[in-house]
Amino acid sequence: MRAFLLAAALAMAGCGYHVSGHADLMPKTIQTVCVPAFKNVTSRYKLTDRLPEAISREFIARTKYHIGTDLNTCDAILRGTVNNYLANQTTVDPTTGRATAADIHVILSITFTERATGKVLYSNPNFDARERYEISVDPIAYFEESDAGLNRVAMQVSRQVVSAILEKF
């Protein structure tokens, strides 16, 4: 019985499975990453501040890389542009006719480049993110939820971008 359990444990240990999000396929020369402010070609200004902050926090939380601020000394640079921002009501209160929910749809272009060689390590010119938020129908209890929706979009983008860079999807 003991031999069987040992054989089963050895077989399972060599099965090739690994935990998603922990692969690191970036060049070993990269130690410092810079995430400058994103360009913005939309009328929504807050998102371009939140995205670099969220991506930097995600790099710190999930990797061994340091976040730098000097574009001339960092090993890699992640640049982004917010190309499109749409917010549309999706649900309406039938009694009042007021919107009760809205969807945010953001399209970005992301490029991650090794500074010394100029080699593009990751690029997605049509990165798509969506998030839904609720809108209060009671004007007295109204709470502006679109900012919280933008924060959730930034967190979603940061997780997906860092995973894509680390695993080269």
Side-chain angles (χ1 to χ4, degrees), residues 38 78 96 163:
F38 279 28
L78 188 141
T96 64
S163 291

Side-chain angles (χ1 to χ4, degrees), residues 105-125:
H105 183 196
V106 180
I107 299 179
L108 312 159
S109 60
I110 306 282
T111 305
F112 189 64
T113 309
E114 186 175 22
R115 186 189 56 82
T117 64
K119 179 181 176 186
V120 174
L121 303 172
Y122 172 78
S123 179
N124 187 343

Side-chain angles (χ1 to χ4, degrees), residues 29-50:
T29 56
I30 295 178
Q31 302 298 315
T32 312
V33 174
C34 187
V35 187
F38 279 28
K39 292 181 184 174
N40 188 6
V41 296
T42 73
S43 60
R44 188 65 181 207
Y45 64 93
K46 292 181 180 181
L47 193 55
T48 54
D49 297 334
R50 293 175 186 179

Side-chain angles (χ1 to χ4, degrees), residues 144-166:
E144 176 58 44
E145 183 68 23
S146 66
D147 280 348
L150 286 178
N151 288 339
R152 289 192 301 272
V153 165
M155 292 304 299
Q156 173 192 3
V157 167
S158 69
R159 286 189 297 269
Q160 291 175 344
V161 166
V162 171
S163 291
I165 288 170
L166 294 177

Side-chain angles (χ1 to χ4, degrees), residues 11-142:
M12 289 173 59
C15 66
Y17 290 108
H18 70 280
V19 178
S20 177
H22 293 282
D24 187 355
L25 302 173
M26 291 208 308
K28 301 301 179 207
T29 56
I30 295 178
Q31 302 298 315
T32 312
V33 174
C34 187
V35 187
F38 279 28
K39 292 181 184 174
N40 188 6
V41 296
T42 73
S43 60
R44 188 65 181 207
Y45 64 93
K46 292 181 180 181
L47 193 55
T48 54
D49 297 334
R50 293 175 186 179
L51 287 167
E53 291 170 6
I55 291 170
S56 295
R57 282 192 304 271
E58 191 73 13
F59 265 114
I60 291 168
R62 290 183 49 196
T63 71
K64 64 183 183 339
Y65 305 111
H66 300 283
I67 299 299
T69 56
D70 185 0
L71 293 171
N72 298 315
T73 61
C74 287
D75 300 318
I77 302 169
L78 188 141
R79 296 185 191 274
T81 302
V82 179
N83 294 321
N84 201 354
Y85 172 89
L86 301 167
N88 298 312
Q89 68 182 27
T90 56
T91 309
V92 177
D93 182 343
T95 307
T96 64
R98 293 179 55 147
T100 59
D103 281 343
I104 298 172
H105 183 196
V106 180
I107 299 179
L108 312 159
S109 60
I110 306 282
T111 305
F112 189 64
T113 309
E114 186 175 22
R115 186 189 56 82
T117 64
K119 179 181 176 186
V120 174
L121 303 172
Y122 172 78
S123 179
N124 187 343
N126 291 307
F127 191 94
D128 187 16
R130 298 172 190 260
E131 183 61 44
R132 179 184 168 106
Y133 66 91
E134 302 298 319
I135 302 170
S136 173
V137 292
D138 181 5
I140 295 171
Y142 180 75

